[in-house]
Amino acid sequence: MAVKNNKIKCKYLLKGVPASPGIAISKVFKLKSESISIDPTIVDDSSVDTEVEKFVKAVEKSKSELKSLQSKVVRKVGLENAKIFDVHQLLLEDSVIIEETIHSIKKENKSAEFAFFHIMQKYENTLNGSSTNHFQNRSSDLRDVKRRVIRHIQGDRTDQLNQLSGSAVIVTNDLTPSDAVMLEKRKVLGFATDLGGRTSHAAIMARSMEVPSVVGLRRIFNLVEEGDRIVIDGNEGKVLIQPDEKTINHYRKLQEKYYDTNRKLDEIRDLKCLTIDGKEIELSANLEFSDEAESVKSHGAKGVGLYRTDYIYLTKKELPTEEEQFQEYRKIVKKISPDPVIIRTMDLGGDKLPKSFLIPPQENPFLGWRAIRISLDRKDIFETQLRAILRASGAGNVKILFPMISGLDEVHECKKALENAKSELQKEGIKYDLDIEIGVIIEVPSAALLADKIAKEVDFLSIGTNDLVQYLLAVDRGNERIAYLYQHLHPAILRMIKQIIMAGHQEGVWVGMCGEMASDPLSTLILIGMDLDEFSVSPIAVPEIKKIIRSTEYREAARIAKKVLQFDRPSEVERFMTKVVRKKFKNLIF
Ligand code: PEP
Ligand code: MG
C-alpha cells in the first residue's frame, strides 16, 4: 500500500495517537513483546551453527529455570503440586523434539525460534485433536514449554535492548513502563507502538524523555522490517515507513521549524507566569526521574507539581531501601530548591508492575490493587517511603501527595501512617519539615464528589485527569480502540473539574492539575477561567502553556469557561476552543 501525494511518498503511512511531540527520522529497531511472536525467518548457511547453539543454550536455560521454580513451589505448596515441572523438564529432555528442531535448523535453514515453534505446534495440534482431557492438558504443558524456550531464544526485553547499538526508533507492540525505564535516552530517537493511548504511562514516559512518539498504531510491528527507514511525526500522530529522499527532506524542514519554534518559546523561560491582567498562576512540571530536574528548570517551570516516584520501584529487582529513596528525593529537592517538589507516594499496579514484589494478575488492574490501596495494605513499603520523603523535606520545600484516594477513610489512614513515620523520626532525632503540607490527587470520581470533605483534611488538591477521565467516562486510558472516547473536553469532565476547584476554594485550599489535560493548549483558557491555581505539565509543554497564560486576560478566560460549560458535546467544546486558540495564538505550534 504505497502512499503518494505532493509532499509524501512512502511504503506505508500510518495514523495513530500523537503521544510526544517532535519529529524523528531514523531506522527501525524492532522490540519483540514478551508474549511470543515468531518471524518465519530463513537464515543463511553461515548462521546455521549460531542458531543451533542459540537453541541448545535456550533449552539449558529453560531447564535450570524450571529447576529453581520447582524448588520454590515445593517450599510453598508441597511436592505433589510441583510435579507439573517434572513433566515440563521431561519434555525438554525429549530427544525427538530436540533432534527434530536441530534437523529443521540445519536442513531447512529455519531460525531457532521458527524451527522450534513449528515442531512444538505440530505436537500441540495432535494433542488438541484428541478427545480425552488427559491429552488436552498435556497440550497446555507443551505450550508452556514452547513459550519458555522461545523467550530464552529471543532474549527478554533487557537482552534485546542491549543489542541496540546505534540510535534508532523503537517499534514495538506495546511498551510497558518497566521497558521504558530501561531505555537509554541517547539511543532512542522515537517510539511507535501498536497499543496504547495518550495517557498510558509509556506515552507519559516518552514525553518526559522528550522523544517524539506515536502510539495506538495497531499494526505497525508487523508492517516494518528491522532497519527500515522511518519518520515519526509526534505532532500530527503520523508514521511513515520507507519514505523516499524527497519526503525525508520535507520532514527535515519540518523538524527544523519545530526546533526553531521551541527555541523562540524558550526565550520566555525566565518571565513570570501572569495573565495580562495580573493574575498569578503557578506553572510547575511533572517529573519521573531525578536526571530530569535540570529540564524542569531549563524549560522555565517553578518547581515540580508531580514527582512520580514509581520508577524507583520499577528499575530495581529489590524494593528500594529508605536510604536509596532518601538520596534520590534529596537530589531532586536540592536541585529544584527553593521551589517546591510535590512527591507522590507510589502508584504501582495498573500498568506499572514492579519486579521487587508480586502484584498478582488481576481481572481489572486499574480498578484493583493499585497505588494507595497497596500502600495501605503493605505498611512496611508505605512507611519506608514516607520516612524517606520526610527526611528529604529537611533539604528544601517538599509536599506529599497521595494517589487513588477514593474516600475519607483512606485519607485518615494516610495521615495516621504519616504521623507514625514522623514520631519515629522524632524519636531518632532525625530532622524533617514539621509543617510538611499534604495533598490528595483527585482522580477517582467518588473523591471528586467528596472534594469539599477531603479538602478539609489536607493542604491542597491536585486533579489527576488521566485517571479521572478514565474512571468517569469508563474509558480505558491505554486502549487504542476506544481512544476516540477518551476526551478531557467532555462536558461531564468540565463540570466535575469546576466542581472540584470550587469545593477546594470553599475550604480555603489551592487546587492544581497534574494530569495531561493541563498540558493541552486547548484546555488552558478554560482552566484559567475556572480559577485553577496551579498547572503541572510535562517539562516540554511548559513554554507553550506559559506563553498562552501570559497572552490571556483572566476576565476573557472566565467568559470562555462559562460558555463552554453550556455545550452538550465534547466535539462542540473542541471545535470552539480550536477556533479561539488558532485565532489568538497564530504563532504557536497548533
Ligand atoms: C493522573 O491520573 O492524572 C495522574 C497524574 O497520575 P498518573 O498519570 O500517574 O496515573
Ligand atoms: Mg493517576
Side-chain angles (χ1 to χ4, degrees):
M1 197 229 334
V3 178
K4 239 169 140 178
N5 67 32
N6 278 350
K7 300 220 169 83
I8 291 176
K9 203 166 157 199
C10 59
K11 190 167 168 198
Y12 299 108
L13 169 65
L14 302 177
K15 185 100 182 71
V17 181
S20 177
I23 288 167
I25 304 166
S26 186
K27 58 181 176 17
V28 167
F29 177 85
K30 283 180 88 172
L31 181 66
K32 288 182 184 146
S33 58
E34 302 254 283
S35 64
I36 55 170
S37 70
I38 303 295
D39 287 337
T41 309
I42 299 296
V43 298
D44 294 338
D45 285 343
S46 58
S47 307
V48 162
D49 288 345
T50 323
E51 292 300 305
V52 172
E53 200 182 318
K54 246 197 228 171
F55 170 63
V56 172
K57 271 196 186 146
V59 170
E60 288 313 314
K61 267 192 186 171
S62 305
K63 277 192 212 162
S64 64
E65 193 175 74
L66 279 170
K67 254 198 203 106
S68 74
L69 253 177
Q70 188 170 31
S71 49
K72 266 190 205 151
V73 174
V74 169
R75 258 180 278 135
K76 279 200 168 156
V77 291
L79 196 59
E80 197 51 37
N81 289 309
K83 278 200 173 138
I84 179 73
F85 294 104
D86 284 336
V87 178
H88 288 196
Q89 286 183 61
L90 281 175
L91 281 170
L92 284 174
E93 272 152 23
D94 186 318
S95 57
V96 179
I97 293 177
I98 306 292
E99 276 161 24
E100 274 194 61
T101 306
I102 294 178
H103 181 85
S104 169
I105 299 173
K106 285 187 171 165
K107 297 291 173 231
E108 296 166 288
N109 283 41
K110 283 184 175 158
S111 68
E113 61 195 77
F114 185 27
F116 184 64
F117 180 81
H118 230 138
I119 305 291
M120 294 300 270
Q121 202 68 35
K122 186 176 78 181
Y123 289 112
E124 232 180 89
N125 290 345
T126 316
L127 292 175
N128 276 338
S130 150
S131 55
T132 71
N133 268 349
H134 173 75
F135 285 114
Q136 282 172 2
N137 288 342
R138 292 288 75 84
S139 143
S140 89
D141 292 333
L142 272 184
R143 229 174 3 257
D144 202 276
V145 168
K146 177 179 74 184
R147 297 176 82 87
R148 191 177 298 284
V149 174
I150 290 179
R151 184 164 48 80
H152 283 301
I153 296 174
Q154 294 182 336
D156 63 16
R157 306 271 266 200
T158 321
D159 293 343
Q160 287 186 57
L161 284 169
N162 286 341
Q163 288 163 21
L164 175 58
S165 50
S167 49
V169 162
I170 308 275
V171 176
T172 181
N173 186 252
D174 189 17
L175 191 74
T176 67
S178 345
D179 299 327
V181 290
M182 292 184 313
L183 297 170
E184 261 186 78
K185 203 163 155 178
R186 72 194 157 81
K187 285 188 185 170
V188 180
L189 297 183
F191 292 118
T193 66
D194 284 332
L195 307 181
R198 216 193 109 74
T199 60
S200 50
H201 284 106
I204 291 173
M205 298 254 332
R207 277 195 289 284
S208 79
M209 290 167 77
E210 301 185 26
V211 170
S213 304
V214 181
V215 299
L217 290 154
R218 296 190 186 197
R219 60 201 179 108
I220 186 165
F221 189 77
N222 286 332
L223 284 180
V224 292
E225 302 283 343
E226 188 78 33
D228 273 357
R229 280 192 128 186
I230 187 167
V231 171
I232 305 282
D233 181 347
N235 302 328
E236 300 274 332
K238 284 186 198 152
V239 173
L240 287 74
I241 301 163
Q242 296 288 53
D244 72 352
E245 237 7 84
K246 222 168 130 195
T247 308
I248 289 188
N249 284 337
H250 169 67
Y251 272 94
R252 281 202 207 292
K253 279 185 201 138
L254 286 182
Q255 198 178 37
E256 210 28 63
K257 196 166 149 204
Y258 175 74
Y259 287 136
D260 254 14
T261 316
N262 275 345
R263 267 193 293 272
K264 278 196 197 109
L265 278 173
D266 269 350
E267 288 163 12
I268 63 165
R269 186 176 52 200
D270 300 324
L271 301 179
K272 275 195 157 179
C273 192
L274 293 172
T275 60
I276 296 176
D277 40 355
K279 184 173 197 288
E280 195 156 350
I281 290 173
E282 291 297 327
L283 179 57
S284 50
N286 295 348
L287 174 143
E288 354 281 337
F289 309 110
S290 59
D291 64 0
E292 264 181 292
E294 211 41 66
S295 134
V296 170
K297 289 207 138 175
S298 67
H299 284 99
K302 279 286 273 157
V304 171
L306 168 66
Y307 169 24
R308 290 183 168 94
T309 54
D310 324 316
Y311 297 95
I312 296 183
Y313 296 84
L314 292 176
T315 41
K316 292 193 162 41
K317 286 215 169 79
E318 291 85 37
L319 279 167
T321 62
E322 177 186 320
E323 189 59 26
E324 278 165 344
Q325 293 186 60
F326 164 62
Q327 295 295 347
E328 191 77 358
Y329 302 156
R330 189 176 60 165
K331 200 158 53 177
I332 295 167
V333 170
K334 280 180 122 177
K335 268 202 188 132
I336 302 293
S337 178
D339 295 326
V341 177
I342 301 181
I343 305 183
R344 179 179 72 180
T345 61
M346 65 88 149
D347 183 50
L348 299 170
D351 57 355
K352 288 183 238 161
L353 302 176
K355 294 196 174 75
S356 49
F357 68 98
L358 181 70
I359 298 183
Q362 307 177 73
E363 286 280 336
N364 293 298
F366 275 96
L367 300 178
W369 201 52
R370 183 190 164 193
I372 208 67
R373 298 166 184 186
I374 301 180
S375 295
L376 293 176
D377 206 11
R378 289 285 308 265
K379 291 267 171 46
D380 53 327
I381 299 177
F382 192 33
E383 290 191 3
T384 303
Q385 180 168 36
L386 290 174
R387 280 177 61 100
I389 299 175
L390 284 170
R391 284 173 63 193
S393 72
N397 185 350
V398 172
K399 304 178 201 297
I400 305 180
L401 186 59
F402 298 112
M404 269 290 272
I405 294 289
S406 62
L408 279 162
D409 286 341
E410 284 162 340
V411 180
H412 292 147
E413 277 198 72
C414 288
K415 287 170 81 169
K416 216 167 17 167
L418 183 64
E419 284 316 309
N420 282 346
K422 280 182 177 177
S423 59
E424 270 177 28
L425 290 181
Q426 226 148 21
K427 269 188 234 144
E428 292 163 34
I430 298 173
K431 272 199 192 144
Y432 63 89
D433 175 2
L434 293 172
D435 301 316
I436 193 161
E437 290 185 9
I438 60 166
V440 158
I441 302 199
I442 303 294
E443 55 186 342
V444 177
S446 55
L449 291 167
L450 292 173
D452 54 335
K453 294 193 186 288
I454 293 175
K456 281 195 176 62
E457 301 286 330
V458 296
D459 303 292
F460 65 96
L461 303 177
S462 183
I463 306 173
T465 50
N466 304 342
D467 279 312
L468 188 61
V469 173
Q470 140 162 291
Y471 297 136
L472 192 61
L473 302 184
V475 180
D476 181 343
R477 64 193 268 188
N479 187 335
E480 68 292 341
R481 281 185 193 276
I482 47 166
Y484 69 98
L485 287 174
Y486 187 94
Q487 292 158 317
H488 52 239
L489 293 178
H490 193 294
I493 300 290
L494 298 179
R495 279 190 188 190
M496 187 153 263
I497 289 171
K498 169 89 185 152
Q499 202 177 318
I500 299 166
I501 297 172
M502 281 184 359
H505 289 175
Q506 181 195 308
E507 297 305 326
V509 304
W510 63 265
V511 183
M513 179 179 286
C514 57
E516 292 300 310
M517 181 179 183
S519 304
D520 173 18
L522 291 189
S523 308
T524 319
L525 294 175
I526 304 175
L527 297 172
I528 298 173
M530 285 185 180
D531 285 327
L532 188 76
D533 301 293
E534 180 235 27
F535 289 63
S536 189
V537 306
S538 46
I540 33 171
V542 168
E544 194 173 52
I545 300 298
K546 192 189 263 190
K547 174 90 183 163
I548 298 178
I549 292 173
R550 288 181 54 84
S551 323
T552 297
E553 220 181 324
Y554 167 68
R555 274 174 310 185
E556 188 196 0
R559 267 197 305 275
I560 289 171
K562 209 163 160 199
K563 180 159 176 86
V564 296
L565 279 168
Q566 315 291 321
F567 288 133
D568 299 332
R569 296 178 186 82
S571 54
E572 292 168 53
V573 181
E574 195 172 332
R575 218 173 308 125
F576 177 75
M577 288 313 298
T578 307
K579 220 159 102 189
V580 170
V581 170
R582 283 227 171 100
K583 194 163 149 215
K584 269 181 76 69
F585 309 103
K586 282 189 208 76
N587 299 332
L588 286 181
I589 313 157
F590 320 109

